[in-house]
Amino acid sequence: MFRTCNRLLVGATVGLAALVSGCASMDGASVSRLDLVKQRGELLCGVSGKIPGFSFLSAEGVYTGLDVDICRAMAAAFVGDAKKVQYRPLTAPERFTALRSGEIDLLSRNTTWTLSRDSAGGNGLSFGPVVFHDGQGLLVPEAAGIRSLKDLSGKAICVGSGTTTEQNLNDTFAAEGIPYTPIKYQDLNQVVGGYLQGRCAAMTSDRSQLASARSGFADPEKHVILADRLSKEPLAPAVVGGDQTMADAMTWVVLALIEAEERGITQANVDAMVEQAEADASQTALRRFLGIDGGLGSKLGLPDDFVVQVIRATGNYGEIYDRHLGPATPVAIPRGANRLAEDGGLMIAPPFT
Amino acid sequence: MRRRSLLLQVGVAALLLALLALLVNNLAVNLLRTGLGLDFGWLGRPSGFALAESALPYSPSDSYLWALTIGWLNSLKVIAAGLVLATLLGVAAGAARSSSNRLLRSLAGGYVAVIRQVPLLLQLLFWYFVAFLGLPETPIGGLIQLSNQGISMLGMPLSVEFCAVLTGLTVFTGASIAEIVRGGVNAVPRGQWEAFRSLGLSEGLGLRRIVLPQALPAILPALTSQYLNLAKNSTLAIAVGYADLYAVSDTTITQTGRAIEGFLLLLISFLLLNLLISGGMAGINATVLGRMRRSR
């Protein structure tokens, strides 16, 4: 009996040792994550998977949304195939650790660009350009007669925990001296449940998320988003800080989407545009952008025609927006601040020279 | 033979220690490599988030440490109440399963069968979203006030979130305790039942005075596991909006970005709590066994 026990014990210990040493990570020299992605031939992209319009796992098991298309654009530029993405659905508290520990290459998950997250002394990330200008809002039942923050005095507000949302809520209400009770849930689905069951007078989240949640209500027209904006939430993709090659590649892929919209280059006409530029040597700026001249891509460690690869795969920024958040979609968020700068919005790309 | 066995044990112990050292070293090296060195300085900074309920005064200008303490107290509150209620429910249902009353027996059997087949998270969501949030406003005799904003019992206000978590944990753990009690009671020789019946004791009195005390040594160790489970399961509270330690840690981790430190604190808090529970139970166990030995 004792001998059997001992044998089992030894077996278990040896097995455990093998497991642990197998998991012990290698100390690699500092190579850019971009090289790693190219070597692997696949991008590990962190998304939410639960926000319609941004990243949502459809019934067919396919991820779709604006955040997902950013992943796809990156994969098209990095490894030449937008389908070579492995998505990792992450909760808000998991996301930074997943990025820092190397579990994912790139985070494209409704993440607000803030000082603490960007800085070396904080989460130590590098953010790319803003892909969606959002702001926190409050959703209330229209019949409740709540028109401004003051009407919420002493009321319960449903909020998802583990995001800047909670802090913004407190900052705003504390500054205005309005008392309230936060009812905190782990994810948006439960926030919606609590709100619809009447536990709270209002629910708060980024306006994009409120709009996307409302699209699933039985009676969306009976709920209004208050005009008060509790925060500015510039949502941007991010990679680990201190890796300029990877950060630059991410940044200029997003900027290429915006530049392509400015130039009217779409998924449908990109090949015609390339032909036209190849035939016409006087189109210098367009030739540089499309990678015919100038070798801009190789400066980033990408193929020279990375812009063409990206636009072929996802279309330009405007096309991505319309596909997931446009008026024809169930989420339907007016483009507002996310229009091009030339149309009065905030989206602009620095020169591709 | 004995020496070999001893050598083997020393070897295994040494191997385990080496493993542990390797793990700790791995953690330290990897943390350094990714620039995630441990830092607890943020514990003193103001949390900046409000909490729906707190046993002691708390405001968003208090430190993260205090916020976590409040969360821990909220956890403690629901765990302590859950332990007492689940034990009462479990013993009652367990005793009912050995009862001679057929209705009582099948009711208890049905309860155990249904509750043990359904995941706890689903049950919590049911209690919260369906049962408690579906409550209409109903004053019961002025002493108890029910509504979907909270329940007031004898002037003591309880949040619906607290009630949902407490009910969920109690009902779920109660079913497991019922089975443990039934097993313990069945382990008492039938002769004991015949003996107290022949002495003219009633079923209830015989169960309380003769059978249950003898069943205790069989019940207690398994009961400890259920208590520990209840404590750990209380972290599911976040799903129904109760501000327990896990919920507060969750917010803290996102706001500070200190996931490793946050989870370490969470780990230590639960370890402490569970050591406390198993320590207490070990004490009770020793007392019961001691008393049994003396009475023999």
Side-chain angles (χ1 to χ4, degrees):
Chain A
M1 179 68 206
F2 268 118
R3 280 178 62 189
T4 334
C5 264
N6 274 338
R7 236 175 251 164
L8 273 177
L9 204 61
V10 173
T13 316
V14 170
L16 199 65
L19 194 73
V20 170
S21 46
C23 292
S25 73
M26 299 166 295
D27 296 273
S30 71
V31 279
S32 171
R33 194 80 192 180
L34 184 60
D35 299 324
L36 228 73
V37 174
K38 286 190 206 158
Q39 222 173 60
R40 194 192 303 128
E42 190 175 49
L43 178 77
L44 305 176
C45 208
V47 296
S48 155
K50 287 187 181 165
I51 311 169
F54 288 85
S55 59
F56 195 73
L57 189 58
S58 71
E60 295 85 44
V62 183
Y63 281 96
T64 56
L66 184 134
D67 282 344
V68 169
D69 272 357
I70 297 296
C71 298
R72 296 178 59 235
M74 298 292 165
F78 296 177
V79 297
D81 185 350
K83 286 193 215 74
K84 290 279 165 55
V85 186
Q86 234 189 73
Y87 297 97
R88 293 281 157 84
L90 298 169
T91 64
E94 284 166 355
R95 57 187 159 180
F96 301 128
T97 313
L99 193 54
R100 288 302 299 267
S101 65
E103 196 186 322
I104 54 171
D105 302 313
L106 189 135
L107 181 71
S108 177
R109 189 208 172 279
N110 268 68
T111 302
T112 305
W113 181 7
T114 69
L115 187 148
S116 311
R117 291 171 177 177
D118 204 353
S119 54
N123 293 102
L125 309 182
S126 280
F127 281 86
V130 176
V131 295
F132 189 87
H133 287 276
D134 207 346
Q136 192 175 332
L138 287 153
L139 185 70
V140 297
E142 189 165 34
I146 294 162
R147 297 288 170 262
S148 73
L149 295 187
K150 292 218 161 46
D151 298 330
L152 285 168
S153 178
K155 299 245 164 68
I157 298 175
C158 287
V159 55
S161 93
T163 60
T164 45
T165 323
E166 251 182 289
Q167 213 170 10
N168 293 331
L169 180 69
N170 186 72
D171 287 354
T172 311
F173 279 70
E176 304 256 334
I178 304 170
Y180 74 102
T181 310
I183 305 294
K184 257 180 291 205
Y185 303 95
Q186 190 163 29
D187 67 48
L188 195 67
N189 293 335
Q190 290 147 2
V191 174
V192 170
Y195 168 75
L196 286 179
Q197 290 265 30
R199 176 63 180 99
C200 309
M203 67 175 267
T204 184
S205 188
D206 290 352
R207 289 156 152 243
S208 59
Q209 302 205 16
L210 292 179
S212 95
R214 185 172 57 175
S215 70
F217 290 6
D219 48 358
E221 69 287 349
K222 292 201 177 122
H223 300 266
V224 290
I225 297 175
L226 292 185
D228 298 83
R229 196 181 275 268
L230 276 58
S231 69
K232 46 186 178 193
E233 306 276 349
L235 309 182
V239 293
V240 175
D243 182 351
Q244 193 182 359
T245 311
M246 182 68 175
D248 284 348
M250 163 185 68
T251 298
W252 287 90
V253 169
V254 175
L255 295 175
L257 295 170
I258 298 168
E259 175 86 7
E261 188 182 9
E262 288 176 11
R263 290 179 176 276
I265 303 174
T266 64
Q267 204 167 9
N269 73 10
V270 61
D271 289 317
M273 290 294 249
V274 172
E275 262 176 51
Q276 186 199 324
E278 270 170 347
D280 185 355
S282 69
Q283 301 258 28
T284 48
L286 184 63
R287 285 169 70 93
R288 268 199 310 273
F289 182 56
L290 295 177
I292 300 162
D293 298 330
L296 292 182
S298 44
K299 289 181 185 166
L300 293 169
L302 297 175
D304 281 332
D305 69 339
F306 78 97
V307 173
V308 179
Q309 306 264 14
V310 168
I311 303 304
R312 265 191 206 136
T314 65
N316 64 38
Y317 178 76
E319 290 180 278
I320 294 177
Y321 191 101
D322 279 345
R323 192 155 57 232
H324 303 297
L325 306 168
T329 65
V331 181
I333 304 171
R335 227 176 125 176
N338 296 298
R339 285 171 299 178
L340 293 178
E342 58 196 45
D343 301 330
L346 293 168
M347 289 298 177
I348 190 164
F352 276 71
T353 52
Chain B
M1 191 64 222
R2 269 187 71 182
R3 198 188 297 156
R4 228 180 88 192
S5 156
L6 193 72
L7 265 175
L8 208 57
Q9 286 193 24
V10 170
V12 166
L15 206 57
L16 270 178
L17 276 179
L19 251 177
L20 197 68
L22 181 67
L23 274 176
V24 171
N25 182 54
N26 239 349
L27 179 70
V29 168
N30 284 336
L31 282 178
L32 266 178
R33 197 172 53 92
T34 51
L36 285 168
L38 290 185
D39 170 19
F40 287 94
W42 50 270
L43 275 174
R45 281 184 225 132
S47 68
F49 58 84
L51 289 173
E53 50 193 292
S54 56
L56 295 169
Y58 168 81
S59 84
S61 53
D62 287 324
S63 67
Y64 279 115
L65 184 62
W66 189 239
L68 290 169
T69 311
I70 297 291
W72 198 68
L73 288 176
N74 282 346
S75 285
L76 217 56
K77 187 166 91 172
V78 82
I79 291 169
L83 288 183
V84 174
L85 293 181
T87 309
L88 292 178
L89 181 65
V91 170
R97 291 206 71 182
S98 326
S99 152
S100 49
N101 183 327
R102 177 180 281 180
L103 179 68
L104 215 55
R105 216 165 50 222
S106 32
L107 265 181
Y111 157 66
V112 170
V114 169
I115 294 299
R116 288 207 310 182
Q117 316 304 326
V118 183
L120 175 57
L121 182 61
L122 281 188
Q123 294 189 30
L124 280 178
L125 294 176
F126 167 82
W127 287 116
Y128 183 62
F129 285 108
V130 181
F132 281 101
L133 285 188
L135 279 179
E137 204 128 334
T138 28
I140 301 174
L143 288 178
I144 301 173
Q145 198 93 24
L146 297 179
S147 86
N148 77 356
Q149 302 298 304
I151 288 160
S152 163
M153 224 171 274
L154 309 166
M156 187 170 69
L158 298 172
S159 72
V160 271
E161 287 78 24
F162 174 80
C163 296
V165 177
L166 181 58
T167 312
L169 288 178
T170 300
V171 170
F172 184 74
T173 315
S176 301
I177 293 180
E179 283 299 274
I180 291 168
V181 170
R182 185 172 72 108
V185 167
N186 282 352
V188 175
R190 295 309 292 173
Q192 295 291 319
W193 293 75
E194 285 150 19
F196 81 69
R197 280 185 194 129
S198 70
L199 286 174
L201 287 182
S202 73
E203 290 285 310
L205 197 64
L207 191 71
R208 268 206 320 278
R209 304 295 284 271
I210 309 293
V211 178
L212 274 182
Q214 295 186 72
L216 265 186
I219 291 175
L220 280 176
L223 197 58
T224 310
S225 304
Q226 288 308 321
Y227 284 179
L228 297 179
N229 278 344
L230 185 142
K232 287 179 285 186
N233 287 340
S234 73
T235 49
L236 287 172
I238 190 174
V240 295
Y242 182 61
D244 79 326
L245 177 62
Y246 184 71
V248 178
S249 299
D250 185 75
T251 306
T252 302
I253 287 168
T254 323
Q255 288 194 6
T256 59
R258 291 285 168 190
I260 311 244
E261 292 87 336
F263 279 116
L264 269 180
L265 287 178
L266 201 57
L267 205 83
I268 293 168
S269 314
F270 268 94
L271 194 63
L272 276 181
L273 186 63
N274 274 353
L275 282 178
L276 216 74
I277 294 176
S278 36
M281 288 302 286
I284 294 177
N285 207 6
T287 318
V288 168
L289 287 181
R291 191 176 295 161
M292 297 239 351
R293 223 165 276 137
R294 270 199 305 284
S295 65
R296 242 174 229 160

